[in-house]
Amino acid sequence: MQNYRLTVQYDGTDFAGFQLQPNQPTIQGELERVLAVLAKAPIRIIGAGRTDSGVHAEGQVVSFKTDCLTVPIGRIPAAMNSLLPDTIRVLTAEYAPSDFHARYSALRKTYRYQVYHGPTADVFLRRFALWEQEPFNWAVVEQAASLLVGRHDFAGFASTGSSVRTTTRTMYRVEVDTSQRLKLLRFTADGFLYNMVRSIVGTLLEIGRGSREPESIVEILATCDRSAAGPTAPAVGLVLESVDYA
Amino acid sequence: MQNYRLTVQYDGTDFAGFQLQPNQPTIQGELERVLAVLAKAPIRIIGAGRTDSGVHAEGQVVSFKTDCLTVPIGRIPAAMNSLLPDTIRVLTAEYAPSDFHARYSALRKTYRYQVYHGPTADVFLRRFALWEQEPFNWAVVEQAASLLVGRHDFAGFASTGSSVRTTTRTMYRVEVDTSQRLKLLRFTADGFLYNMVRSIVGTLLEIGRGSREPESIVEILATCDRSAAGPTAPAVGLVLESVDYA
């Protein structure tokens, strides 16, 4: 069967996450519904990252196999977008080698967490950024964030409940971009544990507010103690920015 | 009575405009409802610009007079915001001289029109920008826009139906900012006629798409013929950015 690869953008606010769930609006559910209309056959898709309820994507990657799609490859985005809600857009569609798997072939993913720091919430950013009101020290957040780079056991930043073989991941890059009105925390790793970015951000936010020392990052990585980390930051600010393949 | 001045931000997507209308959600209606709760008395407000249905504001200015408000001035934004929908935020509140009138005291207003130019609509900008898909020449738009600067009779860019003494306005500044992914058309004038910005933008968009000559701006200004101008651009991209007072 022909293998396909899509790049997908979505505003996750009104969805119960990427993954298919009965009787709830999901990204996978919407994409599969629309593909079934176009292919006149059921199609099962694979997403690179199974983003949670309320989490957004700028460059989610999806793969699926079918021989039933007769729409020319260049017209797939427009054909799907005409049937999708305006909160989901297919940006690109291309043929993929038969061994391409959106999830297992991924080498690196980049997640971005968006924070709006100001005295009053911003109406234009309310669906896409966490509003942070407290006095906040971005320099100390940048310093603490740099401690995450490298190969570490990130168990202390993972919610339990997921079954993974190992909790060791390599964080290639952490960037704290405070140059714009919307502050960005960007994480690139070879993989992320369940709730890992949100646990890291929850901890970094406490550091920025001054209620936690930057060095506690080192301690959480060393002890793997989830209870030592900060709370899971809200989904609203999280965006799956891009996925890298070979 | 004490005169007050507020700065207000809103996402106009779900409102029938600023101005009070029976049985429809309006910005004025929401603000007056909340002020009545806090003052325990009805309060009538005045807005600097009566933005239309779907039009947004980053710096709308509102004034009102009352002696019934006991909330300390510094706490008015937070008190109002706790009762307002999250699509409206009061940014600042201050005491104003008794002769201050949000509308009549305004010297200049700045409106911004936001355009997202790309092959596929952007889900994060869908509520706040017009999606422009066609091949587009921003340089020629900038050239045409500069022809609007100065004191002109803008009748050719006004929808009929409003009763104004004169259709002559002074356009102080027109800026075409294409440095970011979101393209901005910014207009500063001593006043705007009904639908003036949207008529100008509709005309400039035709120029950018190549279906109209830049010089037609001069002709529309000279002839005051509305039928010579382009269509009214959609409300989605329009933002009342700021209002200047003496």
Side-chain angles (χ1 to χ4, degrees), chain A residues 64-76:
Chain A
F64 60 90
K65 293 186 176 184
T66 184
D67 279 332
C68 302
L69 212 48
T70 55
V71 182
I73 189 79
R75 296 219 189 124
I76 288 178

Side-chain angles (χ1 to χ4, degrees), chain A residues 12-89:
Chain A
T13 310
D14 302 328
F15 292 93
F18 181 86
Q19 203 167 8
L20 206 61
Q21 287 193 57
N23 306 318
Q24 295 208 62
T26 63
I27 308 299
Q28 184 180 0
E30 285 298 311
L31 291 171
E32 290 186 351
R33 176 184 64 76
V34 163
L35 284 170
V37 170
L38 296 176
K40 299 180 186 70
I43 291 178
R44 175 75 356 132
I45 66 169
I46 295 144
R50 287 169 296 185
T51 55
D52 269 334
S53 179
V55 175
H56 318 291
E58 204 170 81
Q60 170 75 282
V61 175
V62 158
S63 64
F64 60 90
K65 293 186 176 184
T66 184
D67 279 332
C68 302
L69 212 48
T70 55
V71 182
I73 189 79
R75 296 219 189 124
I76 288 178
M80 291 186 71
N81 290 335
S82 71
L83 300 169
L84 284 165
D86 68 356
T87 44
I88 307 178
R89 291 292 96 171

Side-chain angles (χ1 to χ4, degrees), chain A residues 9 11 86-87 89 123 126, chain B residues 9 11 86-87 121 123 126:
Chain A
Q9 193 188 62
D11 170 353
D86 68 356
T87 44
R89 291 292 96 171
V123 297
R126 74 189 189 286
Chain B
Q9 195 188 57
D11 170 354
D86 68 356
T87 42
V123 295
R126 71 188 190 287

